[in-house]
Amino acid sequence: MRNELEIASYEDLLFHFPYRYFDRTQITSINAINPESDLVQIAGTLINIDEEGTGRTKRLTATLYDETGRLELVWFQGMQWVKKSLTEQAKYLVFGKASVFNGVMNIVHPEIDLLTPENSKAGLQPVYPTTEKLRLRGVTNRSFAKITQSLFEKIKGLIVPEILPRNTLQRQGLCTRQQALQWIHFPSSDEEMNQARYRMKFEELFLSQLKIGQLRLQHTIQEGFVFKQVGQYFNDFFHHHLPFQLTNAQKRVLKEIRHDTATGKQMNRLLQGDVGSGKTIVALMAMLLAKDNGFQACLMAPTEILAQQHFQSIHQLLEKMGLRVALLTGNIKGKARKEILAGLESGMIDFAIGTHALIEDQVKFQNLGLAVIDEQHRFGVGQRARLWSKNVKAPHVLVMTATPIPRTLAMTLYGDLDVSVIDELPPGRQEIKTIQRNEMLRVKVMEFVKTEIEKGRQAYIVYPLIDESEKLDYESLIAGYEQVKIFFPEHKYRIAMVHGKQEIGERERNMQRFISGEADILVATTVIEVGVNVPNASIMVIESAERFGLSQLHQLRGRVGRGSEQSYCILLTGNKMSKDSAQRMQIITSTTNGFVIAEQDLAMRGPGDVYGTKQSGIMKFKIADLVQDVGILEQTRNEAKLLMEEDPKLLTPQHHLLRLVLMKENQQAHFSKIS
Ligand code: ADP
Ligand code: MG
């Protein structure tokens, strides 16, 4: 049985951890309860068991009293069964959330048990994650606790095998796995609960760090092509065609790449650099290095538009040098496609620039030596791996991302890659001025946009089509477009629009009009988010800015401020803003530092949601929290390192179980087998 929570076995149930606990050692007197209280536990005498109402309002009620007052208990479901199980005048222990209905304090569907000496000091009660659907089917928190409890009785006497290395357990002072599993569900004190949770978080993070360590090991033993020399192409470009001076950061990264590719090992490098920091040129020069050593290279972008843009700028730069660059995307079909495929296979083409189309099986290279992947977060790890099969040995891989990744995330998400950082913007850039304005001031804002356009600049106006399928958003985009046309009459201004509902061809034509300067204004959705480079566009207005996430706002804003002109980003917000939205606006207007923004984003949202990491298997933690558990993460990293030094392939008998667990997809023990 697979259900909403993906619990399919006893084992899964054991690893379905509570996310909080109620202290059931506390008994509250009835007069001390108020509706704002969290869950409460009361001890009292039950009277007046009665059925009330008819049809849909039919309910079972009872009164509970103690020496300080009385309150009502109410059931809408399972009334007959409840009624039969209750006895008037008996003493009960009642647990639930109190509320006020028609002036009477009540608890709907309380947990109710006869008061006995044991259950009156029941300790901490686990609260399990469940879903609305399950709750409606009657699978409550209580049923979880009960099932888990009976499971523990069933497996009493069996041993839950330890998987962590003995040394690690000792050094870190961790409790055993057996102990932790018992305590995490049924702790009798805070101390037990904390120990258990710490241990399970540790285990989870430790396993992820080990996995990464093993991936890294695979990389380092992977033989790579040797780029022996810096040759004619690289030097020629550097001295004669490079349109500007490289920043020190760019030079440093190139040195790192140069070093990696000369070692005889396969390079797996992540290049992080904020939007506009100039990653493309670094990629291009790495590609020239490949060419100097007799290899082909490819550059893969996440969208058609980006691939095209890379193609155009690279083609332009390299044409004079006699290099052959081809564009390969899904749009290129028929004869043109055949020619490119043939050219890649024969080695006639030096560089291929494209989209996912590059990793299709039919695409064969004569001698691919370097693959660059731009804006990695849109590609899965699997796609990265597919590039490896394009030559007898895996090509060197350079992954570029503009999404600054907080350190904890980088350690788990890209822990298998070496990291280079471009931490410096090209000179002459002015800081983008970011301003928040109430949308009532739209007219004024548009006047300002006009004056900028009159100076020869271009402007983006962005609408929140966050979910491309949302009709409402789409309508507001179209309405917005009509409004923009009123502000900017067509006889005077040229407006282009791009959104996800357009045919790719149409979207690209419109985008192209803006890139080439043919359009003054681009009305757009977030399809422009990634990578597009129009240095003359110096102003961006974001409508309903409060609806965007921080990272998204930062990415969007990165489309301006790419030339030497003063750039502006104006955030239009509505009257009603949540606290979170207001905080996001505060952060985004106060800094343009992508790393600061990423850290704040992570802190506000939690890692589950950031950068599309949800899909990435490595990120799926049951209990560990990458924001809160940085400390534990660091510890596990050290421990994983020590273990990798001692027994890198986990071949000794005492690491046998650990190895099995790592090999299994879910990170759990072989519990069912043993029981
Ligand atoms: P990103 O890192 O966001 O991909 P790009 O590579 O698109 O940034 O570069 C942004 C802009 O900066 C481009 O117009 C590029 O030509 C320019 N640029 C890159 N490096 C330098 C440099 N060292 N000096 C001046 N301009 C540069
Ligand atoms: Mg880029």
Side-chain angles (χ1 to χ4, degrees):
M1 175 198 68
R2 276 273 157 208
N3 54 35
E4 288 218 309
L5 293 165
E6 302 210 335
I7 294 176
S9 65
Y10 283 166
E11 199 176 309
D12 290 344
L13 197 60
L14 265 188
F15 283 81
H16 186 63
F17 299 141
Y19 68 97
R20 58 182 286 211
Y21 305 81
F22 293 123
D23 185 354
R24 296 206 55 177
T25 55
Q26 299 294 325
I27 290 179
T28 309
S29 48
I30 289 176
N31 70 353
I33 301 170
N34 70 56
E36 266 96 71
S37 314
D38 195 11
L39 290 137
V40 289
Q41 178 168 254
I42 316 147
T45 310
L46 196 73
I47 50 171
N48 300 341
I49 303 173
D50 201 6
E51 277 176 57
E52 285 176 30
T54 51
R56 293 186 62 195
T57 64
K58 196 164 172 187
R59 61 196 183 275
L60 181 72
T61 58
T63 304
L64 187 82
Y65 71 88
D66 66 6
E67 51 278 27
T68 69
R70 50 173 59 204
L71 57 66
E72 195 94 321
L73 306 177
V74 187
W75 292 265
F76 298 100
Q77 270 152 24
M79 286 173 271
Q80 291 316 313
W81 187 82
V82 175
K83 193 174 173 185
K84 252 188 259 157
S85 64
L86 296 177
T87 319
E88 294 215 9
Q89 298 300 341
K91 281 191 178 268
Y92 283 94
L93 194 65
V94 168
F95 184 69
K97 172 106 181 70
S99 53
V100 176
F101 186 74
N102 281 346
V104 180
M105 177 92 72
N106 68 17
I107 299 182
V108 177
H109 283 236
E111 288 183 17
I112 180 160
D113 294 290
L114 274 175
L115 185 67
T116 62
E118 303 95 67
N119 72 13
S120 66
K121 40 182 186 318
L124 297 173
Q125 175 173 313
V127 184
Y128 294 92
T130 170
T131 65
E132 195 53 34
K133 236 184 185 165
L134 286 177
R135 247 195 307 275
L136 286 175
R137 294 212 198 114
V139 183
T140 61
N141 180 51
R142 192 153 194 239
S143 15
F144 263 121
K146 281 204 165 141
I147 300 166
T148 314
Q149 184 98 57
S150 67
L151 176 60
F152 268 101
E153 268 148 33
K154 232 184 192 151
I155 62 179
K156 219 177 233 167
L158 288 172
I159 289 175
V160 181
E162 184 54 68
I163 59 167
L164 294 181
R166 214 171 305 136
N167 289 340
T168 300
L169 274 182
Q170 266 169 14
R171 261 193 305 266
Q172 299 287 334
L174 302 172
C175 66
T176 63
R177 201 170 207 236
Q178 170 122 17
Q179 200 71 83
L181 283 176
Q182 167 79 40
W183 284 349
I184 204 163
H185 292 284
F186 304 106
S188 57
S189 65
D190 281 355
E191 169 64 20
E192 285 181 2
M193 174 196 66
N194 289 334
Q195 274 208 40
R197 294 186 71 81
Y198 188 92
R199 146 80 209 214
M200 295 319 296
K201 286 178 174 193
F202 191 99
E203 176 176 315
E204 198 167 45
L205 291 167
F206 180 72
L207 289 174
S208 85
Q209 288 302 309
L210 260 191
K211 253 191 197 164
I212 288 163
Q214 296 206 319
L215 262 180
R216 193 178 257 284
L217 186 74
Q218 266 173 33
H219 290 337
T220 55
I221 53 180
Q222 187 104 29
E223 261 184 71
F225 300 115
V226 183
F227 292 180
K228 280 202 200 79
Q229 52 165 350
V230 177
Q232 178 216 328
Y233 286 108
F234 188 98
N235 281 321
D236 191 23
F237 181 80
F238 186 72
H239 293 295
H240 305 296
H241 301 287
L242 190 62
F244 38 68
Q245 287 246 312
L246 292 178
T247 62
N248 286 328
Q250 285 170 322
K251 283 185 198 157
R252 189 184 62 233
V253 173
L254 274 170
K255 269 197 198 122
E256 286 165 349
I257 292 170
R258 165 94 191 93
H259 172 266
D260 280 5
T261 52
T263 57
K265 300 267 188 281
Q266 186 221 3
M267 172 174 80
N268 273 284
R269 190 165 277 283
L270 174 71
L271 173 53
Q272 268 189 40
D274 211 342
V275 280
S277 62
K279 295 181 291 292
T280 317
I281 205 80
V282 172
L284 175 59
M285 293 183 74
M287 290 163 80
L288 290 170
L289 192 63
K291 173 66 189 168
D292 275 340
N293 289 276
F295 291 94
Q296 292 167 297
C298 70
L299 169 60
M300 186 158 77
T303 64
E304 292 267 345
I305 291 175
L306 262 190
Q308 260 180 34
Q309 202 171 53
H310 278 318
F311 174 73
Q312 270 151 13
S313 60
I314 289 175
H315 182 69
Q316 218 168 42
L317 286 168
L318 299 188
E319 212 173 20
K320 305 159 213 146
M321 295 170 59
L323 286 164
R324 289 145 307 185
V325 187
L327 175 69
L328 185 66
T329 68
N331 270 354
I332 293 165
K333 298 196 176 100
K335 190 159 161 254
R337 185 183 181 83
K338 265 200 192 125
E339 269 174 31
I340 292 170
L341 292 186
L344 288 174
E345 193 158 7
S346 70
M348 277 290 290
I349 295 171
D350 302 303
F351 299 145
I353 300 188
T355 54
H356 289 79
L358 285 172
I359 54 176
E360 281 165 20
D361 284 340
Q362 313 96 293
V363 183
K364 298 200 174 67
F365 290 84
Q366 197 233 353
N367 197 11
L368 182 67
L370 169 71
V372 182
I373 305 177
D374 197 13
E375 310 293 353
Q376 149 79 8
H377 60 292
R378 302 241 169 148
F379 286 114
V381 174
Q383 287 168 320
R384 214 202 300 160
R386 279 186 75 174
L387 275 164
W388 296 5
S389 58
K390 296 279 175 201
N391 203 344
V392 282
K393 284 184 215 165
H396 296 297
V397 174
L398 179 67
V399 173
M400 307 198 289
T401 177
T403 313
I405 300 155
R407 206 168 45 92
T408 46
L409 265 187
M411 264 157 66
T412 36
L413 203 53
Y414 296 125
D416 64 316
L417 305 180
D418 295 313
V419 180
S420 291
V421 181
I422 303 188
D423 49 8
E424 177 185 5
L425 291 179
R429 294 273 173 82
Q430 298 190 42
E431 180 133 319
I432 303 165
K433 287 206 171 120
T434 307
I435 306 144
Q436 180 199 344
R437 287 280 178 270
N438 189 296
E439 59 191 12
M440 308 288 276
L441 299 172
R442 186 177 288 109
V443 178
K444 249 187 153 167
V445 168
M446 293 305 167
E447 286 305 323
F448 177 68
V449 174
K450 260 182 203 167
T451 60
E452 287 298 298
I453 291 176
E454 260 139 44
K455 289 186 205 157
R457 310 281 110 76
Q458 290 164 280
Y460 294 99
I461 302 179
V462 183
Y463 286 82
L465 204 71
I466 288 151
D467 178 352
E468 296 280 349
S469 61
E470 273 214 20
K471 204 163 152 263
L472 205 75
D473 280 353
Y474 181 69
E475 279 165 7
S476 80
L477 169 74
I478 300 301
Y481 179 56
E482 295 304 322
Q483 200 182 26
V484 169
K485 283 203 286 200
I486 297 171
F487 282 119
F488 302 94
E490 270 171 302
H491 63 273
K492 217 172 149 200
Y493 299 92
R494 298 154 303 171
I495 307 172
M497 174 162 71
V498 295
H499 59 78
K501 284 219 168 126
Q502 287 164 331
E503 298 259 304
I504 290 181
E506 186 191 353
R507 181 159 89 214
E508 257 137 42
R509 273 192 304 280
N510 292 339
M511 191 70 222
Q512 215 51 54
R513 282 179 57 213
F514 189 70
I515 293 174
S516 68
E518 225 179 279
D520 308 300
I521 297 172
L522 186 70
V523 172
T525 62
T526 50
V527 295
I528 55 155
E529 189 182 334
V530 176
V532 174
N533 187 33
V534 185
N536 189 48
S538 65
I539 183 156
M540 173 173 284
V541 178
I542 303 181
E543 291 276 353
S544 304
E546 72 273 16
R547 294 185 52 193
F548 292 89
L550 267 180
S551 292
Q552 212 173 15
L553 286 171
H554 181 64
Q555 286 289 320
L556 282 169
R557 178 171 61 181
R559 301 308 107 217
V560 296
R562 309 197 129 229
S564 53
E565 302 303 329
Q566 175 63 56
S567 290
Y568 301 89
C569 176
I570 303 170
L571 309 166
L572 289 178
T573 53
N575 284 325
K576 274 182 264 156
M577 250 202 287
S578 69
K579 227 170 113 197
D580 267 13
S581 299
Q583 197 182 345
R584 284 201 299 274
M585 293 306 117
Q586 198 277 326
I587 294 165
I588 198 82
T589 51
S590 65
T591 180
T592 51
N593 183 325
F595 282 90
V596 173
I597 291 168
E599 295 280 357
Q600 304 263 8
D601 198 23
L602 186 63
M604 281 185 73
R605 293 209 286 179
D609 222 18
V610 187
Y611 318 128
T613 48
K614 258 186 185 150
Q615 313 92 296
S616 140
I618 284 178
M619 294 295 298
K620 231 178 164 186
F621 293 119
K622 275 179 179 302
I623 181 168
D625 173 333
L626 287 180
V627 179
Q628 278 168 26
D629 301 327
V630 193
I632 309 180
L633 182 63
E634 305 265 8
Q635 296 294 333
T636 58
R637 201 152 102 116
N638 294 338
E639 289 292 341
K641 215 161 149 191
L642 289 173
L643 180 59
M644 290 289 293
E645 278 160 18
E646 185 195 321
D647 181 11
K649 294 188 171 165
L650 306 178
L651 292 176
T652 64
Q654 67 145 325
H655 300 141
H656 177 69
L657 255 185
L658 182 57
R659 195 165 65 105
L660 287 184
V661 172
L662 267 185
M663 276 160 38
K664 259 185 78 167
E665 241 182 26
N666 57 11
Q667 306 181 339
Q668 298 169 9
H670 286 231
F671 197 82
S672 32
K673 273 201 191 119
I674 290 156
S675 56

